[in-house]
Amino acid sequence: MNDNTRILVTPRSLTAEPHPDVERLRENGFDIVYSRAGQTPTEDELLELVPGCVGWLAGVEPVTPRVVEAAANLRVISRNGVGIDNLPVDMLAKRGVKIMIAEGANALGVAELTIGLMFSVLRAIPLADAGIKAGSWPRVRGMEIRDRTVGIIGCGAIGREVARMVVALGARVIAHDPLRPNLDLPSTHFAYREIDEIIAGAEILSLHCPLPKDGSALLDRQRLSTVRNGLVLVNTARARLVDEDALIEALDLGRIGCYATDVFEPEPPVDLRLAAHPRVIATSHIGGFTAESVDRATRIAARNLLSALQN
């Protein structure tokens, strides 16, 4: 295998089942190296795989400084998503490694899962399903989304899709985004507000933003103490946006009525205090894991790789 043409592929969705857009890179003279099928690679596995690679189609696996040090030939990391929290960005920049993202590829899939999680909470769908399968007949009085106040923090590609869907369902959206993009939504049902006002006023709060620059939790103990009692909190963005210990306390008290999440730290979760909590609805980081999202993200990520390596 020629080290000058070696590309590492690590996203779980692409190692479980090689994608035609990745395999097509072979036609351009590149050798494809896959990590363990369907598994998030460990640091030791990456240290074994990354030496000699010029390109890396990366997933959400943590990339440590040790891994970057071992990647002497690396020229580009192409993400099959938009998050780069798992990458030591400053170190990669100093080494001249380009970082590329698949802008907007997963937006619709994540937005639709967000809406699905909202309905799962409002109608207690997982509880009813589990109860019937256990031989009982649970009937929890649900809530409708129309006329509720939904807070959205972050109106990038995903957040704006969620805002449009929520408004179409008849709810009111209060949103925060530093850029305040024009979403062409009626002022009767959409308004920008400051973060603390949203946290205190929302009945449903959905997170679609990066971590604060200092890496701290956006929703810390102080902010969680200001929410409406019984808040529905939805997180399809990043686990570390919420202080886990403070969140568990708020769930125990019922201040947070339900936490519906697609993200954990680490993944899969080792400590099940949060994941197994009776007020938590959890999915296994499947927001962008649709046939359409995987196809879009893979196509863009492979194209980005090819562009960077051929130029």
Side-chain angles (χ1 to χ4, degrees):
M1 185 176 288
N2 184 344
D3 281 352
N4 293 323
T5 62
R6 185 169 161 155
I7 291 174
L8 176 61
V9 178
T10 53
R12 291 166 295 187
S13 59
L14 302 182
T15 57
E17 186 177 345
H19 194 279
D21 283 305
V22 175
E23 286 296 305
R24 205 167 289 125
L25 291 168
R26 298 184 194 275
E27 298 171 11
N28 291 277
F30 292 100
D31 297 307
I32 310 300
V33 180
Y34 290 99
S35 58
R36 260 189 318 149
Q39 303 293 317
T40 298
T42 64
E43 181 186 51
D44 286 343
E45 287 170 322
L46 291 175
L47 288 170
E48 185 178 327
L49 292 168
V50 79
C53 290
V54 292
W56 184 352
L57 203 166
V60 296
E61 62 281 342
V63 177
T64 64
R66 286 183 69 210
V67 172
V68 176
E69 287 288 350
N73 293 15
L74 192 63
R75 291 165 52 195
V76 58
I77 293 180
S78 180
R79 279 279 292 108
N80 69 332
V82 295
I84 55 173
D85 298 341
N86 60 320
L87 303 176
V89 175
D90 292 341
M91 185 178 182
L92 289 164
K94 285 177 185 174
R95 294 178 66 99
V97 178
K98 189 171 188 177
I99 299 172
M100 306 181 81
I101 60 173
E103 187 71 51
N106 296 339
L108 191 57
V110 178
E112 289 187 355
L113 178 66
T114 301
I115 300 297
L117 288 172
M118 289 181 188
F119 280 121
S120 292
V121 176
L122 294 174
R123 301 311 306 269
I125 295 170
L127 183 122
D129 175 70
I132 291 169
K133 286 173 177 170
S136 59
W137 190 247
R139 300 182 77 241
V140 175
R141 182 177 295 181
M143 298 180 288
E144 296 170 3
I145 197 168
R146 181 177 291 182
D147 293 330
R148 297 205 173 272
T149 300
V150 178
I152 294 176
I153 300 180
C155 289
I158 298 167
R160 69 185 62 188
E161 288 287 352
V162 174
R164 288 168 182 149
M165 292 177 187
V166 165
V167 168
L169 290 166
R172 294 182 300 274
V173 171
I174 49 176
H176 177 81
D177 190 287
L179 299 178
R180 296 199 167 202
N182 178 16
L183 305 190
D184 291 322
L185 292 171
S187 59
T188 53
H189 283 74
F190 180 88
Y192 282 112
R193 296 284 186 267
E194 293 305 313
I195 289 178
D196 288 328
E197 186 179 349
I198 294 168
I199 291 170
E203 296 170 90
I204 302 169
L205 178 61
S206 194
L207 306 179
H208 303 285
C209 55
L211 288 168
K213 287 184 179 178
D214 63 2
S216 63
L218 178 76
L219 298 183
D220 56 14
R221 182 170 276 100
Q222 191 279 325
R223 275 181 163 156
L224 287 173
S225 72
T226 68
V227 304
R228 280 197 192 194
N229 202 47
L231 173 74
V232 173
L233 178 57
V234 182
N235 187 2
T236 56
R238 292 155 179 84
R240 287 187 292 137
L241 283 167
V242 189
D243 180 310
E244 185 168 313
D245 289 335
L247 173 60
I248 291 171
E249 287 176 19
L251 288 164
D252 288 342
L253 293 169
R255 185 181 301 122
I256 303 291
C258 187
Y259 180 57
T261 185
D262 189 42
V263 286
F264 288 92
E265 181 74 32
E267 291 182 349
V270 176
D271 179 351
L272 295 182
R273 287 182 309 143
L274 180 63
H277 196 286
R279 291 184 185 271
V280 169
I281 294 174
T283 52
S284 47
H285 208 135
I286 57 171
F289 196 42
T290 67
E292 296 85 355
S293 287
V294 169
D295 281 346
R296 281 191 299 267
T298 306
R299 192 177 310 117
I300 294 170
R303 191 185 305 138
N304 285 343
L305 268 180
L306 197 56
S307 170
L309 293 173
Q310 289 189 331
N311 292 328

